[in-house]
């Protein structure tokens, strides 16, 4: 087997472990490249049967429309159940204070909606597309990541995973976040997408777009999520998005890569992870991601 076969085999094994060990798993699906790859792997793991879990999206209300359209199209074409829960509803029912100010984002509030969704459907495992190469907090998280009854992650309370053996035993109220492609890199994902001919939203490829240049970052103007301020400059650039997250905290990268081969060549030359380059929410502090995970984040 080549290395992509090995990564695929490991991911399929992990997904089948989830199906075998848990009663009510779910696959967190946003319409981004990593979750799309997970869906493709689930097809290989469980077809011709139905998936043993629904697809779940926590929608901030500030997502890229291209990603939402792709999400709906893929779920419909597969005939799989898609559950969508909205951060805006959580803000209203929980009477949460929505962040305001220059770089305000609802991204952190997704945690409340996710935990409410886990409680609503009694999910005991949530499969996600996080990878170790993305960010240092994710680099030290296990494939089976146990969360307590409050959804919190304790880095000191992780289980050994020797010889690809995964321990999914949990107490009532706890749940596990599972990361089948944790050992993949961004380049691995793109090489796999090319090999498997996996469709993606157009956002991942170079296109001309009107943007706001803010603090050196190119921010999308879609949906008027980001309000222009005096020192912002409105520009038109040829860009693509390395990640597809909340519009309020996801920057574009200048690029002419409009094909899979060109995207892969571009990634081979880069020395900064996609979250490090484009995700504003990870740059709030040195421990921004770890702090969010301890609070219940994906």
């Amino acid at each position: 087997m080549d290395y992509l076969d090995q990564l695929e085999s490991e991911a399929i094994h992990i997904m089948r472990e989830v199906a075998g060990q848990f009663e009510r798993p779910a696959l967190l699906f946003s319409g981004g490249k990593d979750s799309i790859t997970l869906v493709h792997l689930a097809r290989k793991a469980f077809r011709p049967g139905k998936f043993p879990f629904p697809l779940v999206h926590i929608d901030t209300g500030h997502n890229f429309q291209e990603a939402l359209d792709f999400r709906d199209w893929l779920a419909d074409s597969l005939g799989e159940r898609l559950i969508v829960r909205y951060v805006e509803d959580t803000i209203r029912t929980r009477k949460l204070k929505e962040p305001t100010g220059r770089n305000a984002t609802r991204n952190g509030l997704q945690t409340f909606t996710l935990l409410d969704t886990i409680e609503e459907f009694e999910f005991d495992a949530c499969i996600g597309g996080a990878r170790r190469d993305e960010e240092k907090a994710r680099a030290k998280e296990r494939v089976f990541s146990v969360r307590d009854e409050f959804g919190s992650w304790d880095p000191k309370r992780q289980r050994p995973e020797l010889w690809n053996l995964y321990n999914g035993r949990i107490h009532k109220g706890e749940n596990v976040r599972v990361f089948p492609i944790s050992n993949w890199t961004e380049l691995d994902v793109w090489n796999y997408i090319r090999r498997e001919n996996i469709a993606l939203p157009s956002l991942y490829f170079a296109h001309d777009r009107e943007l706001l240049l803010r603090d050196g970052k190119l921010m999308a103007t879609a949906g008027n999520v980001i309000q222009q301020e005096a020192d912002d400059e409105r520009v038109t650039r040829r860009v693509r998005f390395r990640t597809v997250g909340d519009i309020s905290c996801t920057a574009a990268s200048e690029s002419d890569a409009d094909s899979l081969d060109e995207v892969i060549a571009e990634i081979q030359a880069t020395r900064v992870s996609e979250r490090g380059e484009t995700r504003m929410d990870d740059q709030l502090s040195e421990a921004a991601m770890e702090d969010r995970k301890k609070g219940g984040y994906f």
Side-chain angles (χ1 to χ4, degrees):
M1 295 193 298
D2 71 13
Y3 83 101
L4 287 178
D5 290 327
Q6 293 174 13
L7 290 172
E8 178 189 73
S9 178
E10 178 188 54
I12 289 173
H13 167 66
I14 292 167
M15 284 197 165
R16 288 174 175 166
E17 282 291 303
V18 171
Q21 292 195 43
F22 297 97
E23 294 182 5
R24 298 184 185 87
L27 191 155
L28 301 175
F29 178 65
S30 65
K33 69 180 187 306
D34 298 308
S35 60
I36 291 169
T37 299
L38 287 178
V39 169
H40 184 82
L41 291 165
R43 293 174 66 182
K44 291 200 168 191
F46 303 113
R47 286 294 193 247
K50 298 281 286 184
F51 293 176
F53 39 68
L55 309 179
V56 176
H57 184 211
I58 305 302
D59 189 341
T60 65
H62 293 164
N63 296 102
F64 289 95
Q65 190 59 47
E66 295 94 328
L68 297 179
D69 291 343
F70 191 94
R71 174 202 72 186
D72 295 341
W73 168 81
L74 185 57
D76 185 62
S77 65
L78 292 172
E80 296 293 342
R81 183 186 180 196
L82 173 65
I83 297 170
V84 181
R85 290 294 180 267
Y86 298 94
V87 171
E88 196 164 348
D89 292 339
T90 307
I91 292 172
R92 184 169 55 255
T93 57
R94 278 178 171 255
K95 296 181 171 56
L96 299 176
K97 180 177 175 55
E98 186 167 356
T100 57
R102 179 177 175 81
N103 293 313
T105 176
R106 290 179 177 177
N107 205 43
L109 299 181
Q110 288 181 99
T111 298
F112 296 97
T113 310
L114 175 62
L115 296 178
D116 287 349
T117 304
I118 290 172
E119 183 178 2
E120 178 185 355
F121 294 96
E122 299 183 335
F123 293 134
D124 51 4
C126 292
I127 301 169
R131 306 185 324 269
R132 289 192 172 115
D133 74 315
E134 290 182 286
E135 200 276 338
K136 54 185 176 292
R138 288 180 167 175
K140 64 184 180 183
E141 191 167 14
R142 298 288 192 262
V143 173
F144 273 36
S145 179
V146 178
R147 305 298 179 96
D148 66 20
E149 61 270 27
F150 303 106
S152 300
W153 174 58
D154 184 354
K156 298 179 180 179
R157 186 175 167 252
Q158 299 191 86
R159 298 169 178 177
E161 293 178 341
L162 307 176
W163 308 295
N164 289 332
L165 297 176
Y166 303 104
N167 178 5
R169 183 177 296 179
I170 54 176
H171 299 293
K172 185 175 177 59
E174 294 179 331
N175 66 86
V176 176
R177 311 291 168 82
V178 181
F179 307 113
I181 61 172
S182 183
N183 291 328
W184 299 38
T185 65
E186 181 186 13
L187 185 58
D188 294 334
V189 172
W190 278 102
N191 278 325
Y192 187 74
I193 287 168
R194 178 172 62 179
R195 189 186 81 169
E196 300 292 310
N197 195 28
I198 299 172
L200 293 175
S202 59
L203 290 162
Y204 283 108
F205 301 98
H207 57 284
D208 295 323
R209 177 180 286 264
E210 187 178 78
L211 303 140
L212 287 182
L213 180 59
R214 170 178 290 183
D215 301 329
K217 299 292 186 181
L218 294 168
M219 307 302 294
T221 58
N224 294 318
V225 173
I226 301 176
Q227 299 300 315
Q228 184 171 356
E229 298 190 3
D231 58 343
D232 294 336
E233 182 183 355
R234 192 171 289 265
V235 297
T236 298
R237 301 281 173 84
R238 189 160 181 81
V239 298
R240 72 179 193 88
F241 289 86
R242 291 178 69 184
T243 66
V244 178
D246 190 286
I247 290 172
S248 62
C249 59
T250 304
S253 303
E254 290 197 73
S255 172
D256 290 316
D258 58 6
S259 69
L260 285 171
D261 288 342
E262 290 175 332
V263 168
I264 288 169
E266 186 176 88
I267 294 169
Q268 287 174 328
T270 190
R271 293 295 177 266
V272 182
S273 74
E274 68 259 53
R275 294 194 71 95
E277 180 185 5
T278 67
R279 292 302 292 268
M280 307 295 287
D281 50 334
D282 288 350
Q283 298 173 23
L284 296 175
S285 72
E286 280 294 312
M289 173 64 80
E290 184 164 330
D291 290 343
R292 294 203 305 276
K293 279 182 171 290
K294 288 178 179 178
Y297 190 71
F298 301 110

